[in-house]
Amino acid sequence: MRKNLLIFDSSAAIGRIIAQRCMNAGLTAECCRPAINEMLRRAPFGEYDGILLFTYRADEKLLKLVRDAAENGRSVFIGLYTPSAAVRRHFRQAGAEEIFIMPCSVPDICSSILLHLSCGSSAIERIELFLEETGFPRRLSGFHYLAKAAELCIKAPHRLWGGMGSIYEETAESFSTSPKLVERAMRNLSSHILENGALTRLTEGRLAEKPTNTELICAVCDMFSRL
């Protein structure tokens, strides 16, 4: 049985926190020393779905390691301690799936990794995971209605411009409830995320007041599609 993630960072500050958050979300994760010799010893990572490593530069040994891992079907995530566009390009060309410019928050790193490594999950499960990592309260019924509505619109974006009626109806049908309750629950969810800061994280500060349901679904579809 393959493990999900190997993290080349043994520090309590980053690697172990990421590993713990991944394990809390149901993915196995393991940390090891970030030395290049240790990386080469563990290559080609046959028992892992993905690797996460932190680095300041893109030397040839490291790039070869990334290429080999990517060519063997492993998702490679890079935590990069430099804003250099050239270094980012080298890792992209080597096959890195996601590059985080450090400092990057642990929740942001975990959210992206979980979405990539949960590819066997359904779309709605990955949307729910994204919402939860962003700070949306799962305990509210609007959370699940929003995830379903976003799934419908991601599959058929044109539906957003045809009015919300059919989206409410199909979402309500999935949960054996009424369209009116779906609409109300999503508006209630909007109030909560405005108060707890999740709306700011979702929209990167571009929306500072309670969104309409259409605006909320659009924002979720937009951010989820960028991951």
Side-chain angles (χ1 to χ4, degrees):
M1 178 179 173
R2 284 220 307 248
K3 299 175 184 177
N4 293 110
L5 182 66
L6 177 62
I7 303 169
F8 286 108
D9 184 354
S10 55
S11 74
I14 297 288
R16 291 177 189 172
I17 295 174
I18 292 172
Q20 188 59 58
R21 286 184 69 103
C22 287
M23 288 189 286
N24 289 344
L27 298 183
T28 59
E30 178 185 349
C31 286
C32 67
R33 291 173 55 249
I36 186 66
N37 288 339
E38 179 67 11
M39 296 179 190
L40 292 172
R41 187 181 72 80
R42 304 294 290 262
F45 318 112
E47 61 182 322
Y48 297 93
D49 294 309
I51 63 168
L52 167 64
L53 61 90
F54 296 88
T55 183
Y56 291 88
R57 59 185 66 86
D59 60 60
E60 189 48 45
K61 281 187 179 179
L62 201 54
L63 290 171
K64 183 179 185 307
L65 181 146
V66 170
R67 278 194 295 271
D68 290 346
E71 287 170 3
N72 280 280
R74 307 295 172 256
S75 295
V76 182
F77 308 97
I78 307 291
L80 197 56
Y81 289 101
T82 173
S84 168
V87 174
R88 276 204 313 276
R89 185 170 62 253
H90 287 318
F91 279 115
R92 284 287 186 199
Q93 291 171 345
E97 199 156 335
E98 193 76 40
I99 299 172
F100 310 103
I101 303 301
M102 305 303 291
C104 182
S105 74
V106 167
D108 285 347
I109 294 173
C110 289
S111 178
S112 182
I113 289 173
L114 288 168
L115 287 167
H116 280 92
L117 296 187
S118 299
C119 56
S121 304
S122 67
I124 196 164
E125 287 174 326
R126 288 184 286 123
I127 293 168
E128 287 183 349
L129 180 60
F130 164 69
L131 293 176
E132 191 168 41
E133 283 289 323
T134 306
F136 284 64
R138 187 182 278 269
R139 71 182 185 279
L140 299 179
S141 57
F143 174 98
H144 303 284
Y145 300 157
L146 173 61
K148 180 61 180 179
E151 180 197 32
L152 295 172
C153 294
I154 287 169
K155 289 180 178 177
H158 64 274
R159 297 190 64 177
L160 277 168
W161 316 122
M164 291 294 291
S166 65
I167 295 173
Y168 288 145
E169 289 172 6
E170 192 167 341
T171 300
E173 186 177 339
S174 298
F175 293 91
S176 300
T177 187
S178 72
K180 189 168 291 186
L181 286 176
V182 168
E183 179 185 6
R184 188 183 307 157
M186 287 175 57
R187 282 193 277 109
N188 180 52
L189 179 66
S190 292
S191 297
H192 279 78
I193 63 170
L194 179 62
E195 293 172 4
N196 72 5
L199 179 64
T200 299
R201 289 190 290 276
L202 174 70
T203 64
E204 297 177 335
R206 293 190 299 271
L207 192 58
E209 56 187 32
K210 182 179 175 179
T212 66
N213 287 350
T214 300
E215 289 173 335
L216 181 58
I217 294 170
C218 283
V220 170
C221 292
D222 176 51
M223 291 302 291
F224 182 79
S225 298
R226 292 193 215 173
L227 296 172

